[in-house]
Amino acid sequence: MTIANKINMSCANFTGIYRTKKTDVKKERPAGSVQKKDWRINPMKKKMFFNQNKQTLMDVAAGIQKADLVILNCKILNVYTGEIMDDHSICIKDKWIACISQDADAQTGPNTLVIDAKGMTVIPGLIDGHTHLANYFSPTQFLPYAIAGGTTCMVTETTEAYPVAGIDGVIDFIESYQDQPVKVFNTAPVMVSISKATNGIPEDELEKLLKREDVLGLGEVYWQSMLQYPERILPLMNMTLAMGKTVEGHSAGARGEKLAAYVGAGVSSCHEPITMEQALERLRMGIYVMAREGGVREDLEAISTIKDLEIDLRRLILVTDSVSPEFLMKNGTLEYVLQKAIKLGFDPVDAVRMVTLNVAEHFGIDHMVGGIAPGRFADLCIIPDIRTIKPAWVISNGQVIARDGECKVLPRVHTYSPKSLNSVNLKKTFSQNDFQIQAPTGTKKAEVRIIEKITQLVTKEQILSMPVKNNQIQVDIEKDIIKIAAVDRVKKSNQCFTGLVSGVGMKQGAIAASASWDTRDITVMGADEADMALAVNRIGQLQGGVVVCSNGRVLAELPMPIMGIMSDLSIEQIAGRTKQVNQAAKELGVVFEDPILSLITMTSPAIPYLKICEEGLVNLKDGKTIGLFVK
């Protein structure tokens, strides 16, 4: 019997709340279930919370010992009660808050660092509950911006690392964000993929990740795939829930009975609503709704009218869902999202809860973060007032890490493994012949499936009769039909599938990228097969990145040698190169605002409807892999 089957049996017979008494566990455990441990106790609550020296915190609160840091003369936003408490002090010992009082004389000694807030407001450090940090930049480039803006805790997906570098790559990525000035938690990759080669994660590997205290749950589960293949995904979800951790959702387009079936399986969050009505439907089903505002989507304004309904917003969360280099340099991260929510009319107390307590409660870490109270980590932002999210001081783990928008504690530099730095494995030099589409013998016209781009992200299936020339299907620039291909960059066979795409606008050249979503492919689209080959080969030389070519020349490129998904350049260089790549693609005719994003999402089951991988085309409505030709 597999681990998942055992857990399924345990879950099917478990009717109570998490229990810690061994006698209670035995009563609830059916015959044949897992005996080796009780997975219903969150290991993080046992380890991280109880690592405090409680006697020391008690002594500081009682005035027996002195605090390491005291913040005087501040207003405190109490997210638990919704109060703003005037003229208070916060006493900190080591990493934790010892007490909050109106008179900190007893806790202040000659070696105590004292910050006079002069009437400014203190709020908890901001928590980004859904982001993708394996995106363009390394920790050393990203974290200074997050720190300066007041984000002291993040929960990131890890799905980008798994298909290209396996569980070792995921752990390498996770550890790159550990022992940093701020806390970074993770979700394990469920690996919903249109490619059979990267679809799913073995149960033993998921278990290994879930055992980590810095992994809070299972990453976003695409609803169509869960309903289409429950036998693959439900065991992974059940394992996660049995270990006391969360299952993150992705329910774009689901509603009514299908949404209910999805939520009923154990999903507890969703970051996909793009309207107030979608957000409300999910809130009514008891799940946490994450309103996005970042580099991929900007949904906050559309959702913001929910504030006018006079409903409880304690399950509404604000997230970035990742930020682009340009967004990061221009806006920062979560502080921008929080400020925008306040400008859109959300009550400031409610808005702050959406990036602090609400997030912490969802992930079950509110005993550590999310509020200002004794025994919590001293993660704080000192801001001018409750409506102005511009931190004068940022404190994380009891240490001042930013002052007046400037990072004061630089991130730790991580050394990635050789495997993570050599993830592009092209066994040959590609040529234009590799991207030819051979038509059935003897045909003058062929009915073919074409990926039609409806928006920058959304596609649909288009069926056209295409002329056959020299036994091949050619691009048709006048009809805006070019080629698109996916090349497996990990397996030595370098399996490749070439199809057709319309609505891109490209008149010449090609663009290729190795950071394709949810697969291990290099995705390339172009009006010229030779340029497509050049772009793919250049990515092999760079060990990952984005490349734009035309007329046999490389016009612009962004190297991404860290697993082929992150760059080792400075943030300024990354932003500059990204701008050059996108501009070069636009000059070739691409009509989308972000050509890179438009390309790398072509392999993902996250966004409807017709997608491509190295195995063929995939219709997300039924999840089936299909060929180019309509028989």
Side-chain angles (χ1 to χ4, degrees):
M1 181 179 291
T2 66
I3 292 174
N5 287 336
K6 292 178 181 179
I7 296 170
N8 284 338
M9 290 177 64
S10 180
C11 289
N13 289 273
F14 179 62
T15 57
I17 308 300
Y18 300 154
R19 290 183 168 92
T20 59
K21 293 182 179 179
K22 292 182 179 179
T23 54
D24 289 339
V25 173
K26 288 180 180 178
K27 288 179 181 179
E28 300 293 349
R29 181 182 289 134
S33 65
V34 177
Q35 298 289 326
K36 61 181 179 180
K37 64 181 177 179
D38 177 16
W39 274 346
R40 297 170 212 160
I41 303 171
N42 190 331
M44 178 175 300
K45 187 165 281 191
K46 291 194 296 184
K47 293 182 180 180
M48 295 190 72
F49 185 56
F50 293 112
N51 278 347
Q52 301 169 344
N53 187 331
K54 288 184 168 51
Q55 186 63 56
T56 298
L57 293 183
M58 292 168 62
D59 288 348
V60 172
I64 299 171
Q65 291 194 46
K66 304 304 179 185
D68 295 328
L69 171 62
V70 172
I71 305 171
L72 299 174
N73 303 320
C74 62
K75 298 177 181 178
I76 299 174
L77 171 57
N78 190 315
V79 292
Y80 305 109
T81 64
E83 301 171 276
I84 297 178
M85 305 186 303
D86 290 330
D87 194 20
H88 274 67
S89 299
I90 304 172
C91 302
I92 298 166
K93 186 67 175 178
D94 193 14
K95 300 178 180 180
W96 295 281
I97 297 170
C99 65
I100 298 166
S101 67
Q102 292 183 296
D103 181 3
D105 287 347
Q107 289 79 25
T108 306
N111 297 321
T112 301
L113 174 64
V114 177
I115 297 175
D116 187 348
K118 298 180 180 178
M120 289 193 289
T121 300
V122 184
I123 63 174
L126 310 185
I127 307 173
D128 194 341
H130 180 81
T131 190
H132 294 257
L133 295 182
N135 175 48
Y136 284 111
F137 21 65
S138 66
T140 52
Q141 298 303 314
F142 169 76
L143 285 179
Y145 286 87
I147 288 169
T151 298
T152 59
C153 182
M154 286 160 274
V155 183
T156 180
E157 296 278 327
T158 60
T159 189
E160 295 85 357
Y162 188 83
V164 297
I167 189 170
D168 291 340
V170 172
I171 292 173
D172 199 8
F173 167 71
I174 287 175
E175 293 184 349
S176 73
Y177 275 99
Q178 300 312 296
D179 300 319
Q180 296 289 7
V182 296
K183 301 170 191 63
V184 177
F185 296 110
N186 309 271
T187 56
V190 65
M191 276 320 301
V192 174
S193 176
I194 63 173
S195 167
K196 295 181 180 65
T198 57
N199 190 26
I201 181 172
E203 296 164 16
D204 60 333
E205 292 189 356
L206 177 60
E207 181 186 0
K208 182 177 181 180
L209 291 173
L210 290 174
K211 284 180 178 179
R212 295 178 62 105
E213 63 179 12
D214 52 15
V215 175
L216 300 182
L218 187 64
E220 51 187 306
V221 179
Y222 305 145
W223 73 275
Q224 298 100 326
S225 298
M226 195 205 77
L227 296 185
Q228 290 165 1
Y229 305 105
E231 70 281 359
R232 297 181 191 170
I233 299 175
L234 282 179
L236 305 179
M237 293 175 62
N238 288 339
M239 175 186 291
T240 304
L241 295 171
M243 293 178 73
K245 300 194 175 187
T246 67
V247 175
E248 301 303 289
H250 185 290
S251 61
R255 61 180 183 272
E257 294 177 350
K258 290 182 178 179
L259 180 61
Y262 180 63
V263 173
V267 170
S268 57
S269 77
C270 181
H271 58 279
E272 287 298 317
I274 59 176
T275 66
M276 181 274 288
E277 291 78 13
Q278 291 177 2
L280 181 61
E281 183 180 16
R282 286 155 178 78
L283 287 174
R284 285 172 171 168
M285 290 190 182
I287 68 173
Y288 284 83
V289 170
M290 299 176 171
R292 296 176 294 189
E293 190 75 14
V296 176
R297 293 295 300 258
E298 297 178 352
D299 302 323
L300 180 55
E301 185 170 0
I303 293 174
S304 66
T305 54
I306 201 167
K307 69 185 184 301
D308 303 321
L309 300 181
E310 298 184 357
I311 63 171
D312 194 317
L313 300 178
R314 286 298 306 280
R315 292 201 170 209
L316 188 62
I317 292 171
L318 306 177
V319 300
T320 61
D321 196 13
S322 81
V323 292
S324 65
E326 184 178 1
F327 186 101
L328 182 65
M329 294 185 68
K330 180 181 178 181
N331 302 316
T333 57
L334 199 55
E335 76 276 16
Y336 169 83
V337 185
L338 174 56
Q339 187 68 75
K340 184 169 183 177
I342 294 171
K343 289 181 178 179
L344 288 169
F346 281 99
D347 177 86
V349 174
D350 284 340
V352 171
R353 280 175 171 157
M354 294 173 196
V355 291
T356 57
L357 184 59
N358 295 9
V359 195
E361 288 181 336
H362 165 55
F363 286 106
I365 55 175
D366 52 302
H367 60 288
M368 297 190 299
V369 294
I372 303 173
R376 272 63 171 182
F377 277 105
D379 296 349
L380 309 166
C381 294
I382 304 176
I383 57 178
D385 58 75
I386 193 63
R387 294 184 175 274
T388 307
I389 312 303
K390 188 176 182 180
W393 303 80
V394 180
I395 297 166
S396 175
N397 295 327
Q399 181 182 17
V400 175
I401 60 172
R403 181 80 169 93
D404 292 328
E406 182 180 349
C407 177
K408 294 296 185 181
V409 179
L410 294 178
R412 174 186 64 84
V413 177
H414 179 71
T415 301
Y416 292 93
S417 71
K419 182 179 178 182
S420 294
L421 298 176
N422 293 275
S423 68
V424 179
N425 180 12
L426 300 184
K427 70 168 187 176
K428 67 175 184 178
T429 300
F430 280 76
S431 72
Q432 61 184 17
N433 294 335
D434 291 300
F435 302 106
Q436 292 178 350
I437 300 175
Q438 297 293 328
T441 304
T443 57
K444 295 183 178 180
K445 285 190 175 183
E447 296 287 314
V448 295
R449 296 181 177 90
I450 296 175
I451 302 172
E452 182 181 358
K453 295 282 279 187
I454 303 302
T455 69
Q456 179 166 273
L457 302 178
V458 178
T459 66
K460 73 175 184 179
E461 181 182 83
Q462 182 183 26
I463 297 178
L464 290 179
S465 177
M466 295 286 291
V468 177
K469 184 178 180 181
N470 298 326
N471 204 37
Q472 295 180 24
I473 304 294
Q474 310 285 347
V475 300
D476 191 333
I477 303 300
E478 292 184 0
K479 294 183 179 179
D480 192 15
I481 299 173
I482 61 173
K483 289 186 176 180
I484 183 169
V487 180
D488 187 331
R489 67 176 173 94
V490 174
K491 195 172 182 180
K492 291 183 180 180
S493 66
N494 291 148
Q495 184 176 356
C496 175
F497 179 84
T498 302
L500 299 166
V501 59
S502 67
V504 176
M506 181 177 281
K507 306 298 183 185
Q508 63 186 57
I511 178 173
S514 61
S516 304
W517 284 14
D518 303 307
T519 66
R520 59 191 189 192
D521 294 336
I522 294 173
T523 309
V524 56
M525 61 183 180
D528 183 89
E529 293 87 349
D531 287 327
M532 292 172 70
L534 177 61
V536 170
N537 291 329
R538 181 57 181 159
I539 285 179
Q541 295 168 355
L542 294 172
Q543 274 300 307
V546 189
V547 177
V548 179
C549 299
S550 185
N551 295 319
R553 295 189 305 112
V554 174
L555 303 181
E557 64 184 26
L558 169 63
M560 303 174 78
I562 304 172
M563 303 186 209
I565 55 180
M566 293 178 285
S567 180
D568 57 356
L569 299 177
S570 70
I571 189 64
E572 293 82 8
Q573 290 174 313
I574 296 171
R577 294 286 190 99
T578 302
K579 185 176 181 180
Q580 291 172 10
V581 167
N582 280 331
Q583 183 58 39
K586 291 177 184 178
E587 290 174 359
L588 298 181
V590 177
V591 297
F592 303 117
E593 181 62 27
D594 189 340
I596 297 175
L597 181 63
S598 180
L599 176 63
I600 63 178
T601 56
M602 291 294 288
T603 58
S604 176
I607 307 169
Y609 280 104
L610 188 62
K611 294 303 176 75
I612 188 173
C613 69
E614 80 283 358
E615 298 168 355
L617 301 175
V618 178
N619 187 327
L620 300 185
K621 293 182 179 180
D622 57 20
K624 294 181 179 179
T625 302
I626 50 180
L628 180 68
F629 296 98
V630 180
K631 296 180 181 180

